[in-house]
Amino acid sequence: MAQTTLISREQIDGRVAEMAREIEAEFAGTELIALCVLKGAMFFCADLVRNMTMDVALDFIQISSYGNQKYSSGVVTILKEPQLDMRGKSVLIVEDIIDSGLSIREVHNYIESRGAAKVKTAAFLDKPKARKVPFTPEYVGFSIDPQFVIGYGLDFAEKYRNIPEVQVLSD
Ligand code: 5GP
Ligand code: MG
């Protein structure tokens, strides 16, 4: 397996701080819940909310993942449900990466079904060319080509999440 840097630590820090300001401009004055999609988005979500100065509640959802494969099965199950009451609130889904769009579409529909007044998505990475279902996140850190990436929370078979930058994993 070869690992090459795609997005540096400095680029991540700069862009995540910018995203926090964009999000605050939209949500100022609302009751906001940042919903971190475990496990991949944990570092992104932590950095994002730490760059925000408005009040923001934190919640977590976990859905079934790729397992040990590089490609999505397309079947999404909720492994951990959010705890907070979302009725009438603004919810920002904080996702690590959007690929086929299948996972985020399910999470989005599920959060709407819990009565959130406004549901938006912040994705650290987006692979728009890999979509199997249409989905456009409101906030995107970086758009990348379809390739398998690791680091900054993203894993391959639970490895590499703690690499502080984004790398491309190729065989
Ligand atoms: P989708 O349902 O959009 O195909 O896939 C979304 C999920 O698959 C992401 O939340 C992430 O967990 C995983 N995923 C998609 N692309 C990659 C990638 O390039 N690297 C890693 N590590 N995970 C990915
Ligand atoms: Mg994920």
Side-chain angles (χ1 to χ4, degrees):
M1 297 270 201
Q3 296 167 236
T4 49
T5 301
L6 183 68
I7 306 169
S8 72
R9 188 65 249 170
E10 291 68 32
Q11 287 173 290
I12 293 171
D13 287 343
R15 183 64 192 123
V16 172
E18 256 173 29
M19 291 177 84
R21 289 192 292 275
E22 293 168 19
I23 290 161
E24 283 198 308
E26 172 168 359
F27 289 98
T30 73
E31 273 194 90
L32 178 63
I33 299 172
L35 181 71
C36 177
V37 183
L38 295 172
K39 303 173 194 173
M42 62 172 285
F43 298 105
F44 171 49
C45 188
D47 287 344
L48 189 67
V49 299
R50 271 185 292 193
N51 273 282
M52 291 167 54
T53 53
M54 67 180 284
D55 289 337
V56 54
L58 265 180
D59 207 346
F60 301 90
I61 188 171
Q62 187 170 12
I63 56 174
S64 60
S65 69
Y66 281 66
N68 290 350
Q69 293 154 32
K70 279 195 189 177
Y71 301 98
S72 179
S73 60
V75 180
V76 175
T77 344
I78 296 174
L79 303 176
K80 188 223 169 285
E81 304 217 359
Q83 298 299 307
L84 297 179
D85 181 2
M86 295 177 170
R87 283 172 297 178
K89 310 252 173 78
S90 299
V91 177
L92 180 73
I93 301 170
V94 182
E95 179 59 299
D96 53 359
I97 185 164
I98 302 179
D99 189 64
S100 69
L102 289 161
S103 310
I104 188 65
R105 187 184 63 170
E106 289 301 311
V107 173
H108 193 281
N109 291 345
Y110 173 71
I111 297 307
E112 277 188 335
S113 79
R114 299 212 5 172
K118 181 167 167 177
V119 185
K120 299 277 170 102
T121 299
F124 172 59
L125 299 176
D126 189 13
K127 298 191 226 177
K129 291 179 198 149
R131 285 295 190 284
K132 290 184 186 141
V133 294
F135 190 91
T136 308
E138 285 78 12
Y139 301 96
V140 172
F142 302 90
S143 279
I144 62 171
D145 286 330
Q147 54 197 331
F148 195 82
V149 292
I150 51 157
Y152 196 57
L154 291 149
D155 74 313
F156 178 58
E158 293 301 327
K159 255 173 77 179
Y160 310 118
R161 291 194 198 277
N162 56 322
I163 294 172
E165 59 175 24
V166 177
Q167 300 178 345
V168 177
L169 189 67
S170 51
D171 355 75

